[in-house]
């Protein structure tokens, strides 16, 4: 019986430690700054992109190079504090 309980405890610990961490809550103004820094790193013309954040939901508008779009979306979706991403960017060649 002890072996069964020990096995259950180990399985439960492995399950809990393997779970993804809870999403971090970040203030909207802090999130705007984080997104702006990410745009500066990833885009050739980051100033042409407008950022709006409400409750962790990020909305991007403006023009962006098509080659930069996929990496930008992937980076922002993985950013702590981003609950949703509405990417309304116009891709160009």
């Amino acid at each position: 019986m002890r072996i069964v309980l020990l096995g259950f405890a180990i399985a439960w610990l492995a399950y809990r430690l393997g779970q993804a961490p809870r999403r971090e809550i970040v203030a909207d103004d802090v999130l705007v700054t984080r997104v702006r820094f990410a745009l500066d790193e990833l885009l050739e013309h980051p100033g042409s992109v407008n950022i709006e954040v409400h409750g962790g939901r990020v909305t991007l508008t403006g023009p962006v190079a098509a080659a930069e779009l996929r990496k930008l979306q992937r980076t922002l979706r993985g950013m702590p504090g981003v609950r949703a991403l509405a990417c309304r960017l116009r891709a160009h060649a």
Side-chain angles (χ1 to χ4, degrees), residues 2-32:
R2 288 182 185 172
I3 293 174
V4 172
L5 290 175
L6 180 62
F8 176 75
I10 291 171
W12 182 81
L13 280 173
Y15 169 76
R16 290 296 293 165
L17 294 175
Q19 286 183 337
R22 291 186 176 147
R23 292 298 235 167
E24 181 181 339
I25 297 174
V26 177
D28 289 346
D29 56 340
V30 173
L31 197 52
V32 167

Side-chain angles (χ1 to χ4, degrees), residues 9-63:
I10 291 171
W12 182 81
L13 280 173
Y15 169 76
R16 290 296 293 165
L17 294 175
Q19 286 183 337
R22 291 186 176 147
R23 292 298 235 167
E24 181 181 339
I25 297 174
V26 177
D28 289 346
D29 56 340
V30 173
L31 197 52
V32 167
T33 304
R34 288 183 182 179
V35 170
R36 179 57 63 193
F37 280 128
L39 292 179
D40 289 344
E41 295 276 325
L42 297 169
L43 300 180
E44 187 173 335
H45 302 288
S48 62
V49 176
N50 298 314
I51 306 167
E52 290 183 33
V53 178
H54 300 287
R57 294 173 183 358
V58 178
T59 303
L60 301 176
T61 56

Side-chain angles (χ1 to χ4, degrees), residues 48-50 60-66 69 87-93:
S48 62
V49 176
N50 298 314
L60 301 176
T61 56
V64 67
L69 186 58
C87 196
R88 298 182 181 138
L89 297 169
R90 292 184 315 272
H92 60 81

Side-chain angles (χ1 to χ4, degrees), residues 65-87:
E68 300 169 329
L69 186 58
R70 176 174 252 156
K71 186 174 182 181
L72 174 66
Q73 289 175 328
R74 194 174 339 122
T75 301
L76 294 182
R77 283 194 177 109
M79 183 178 287
V82 175
R83 295 178 52 200
L85 177 64
C87 196

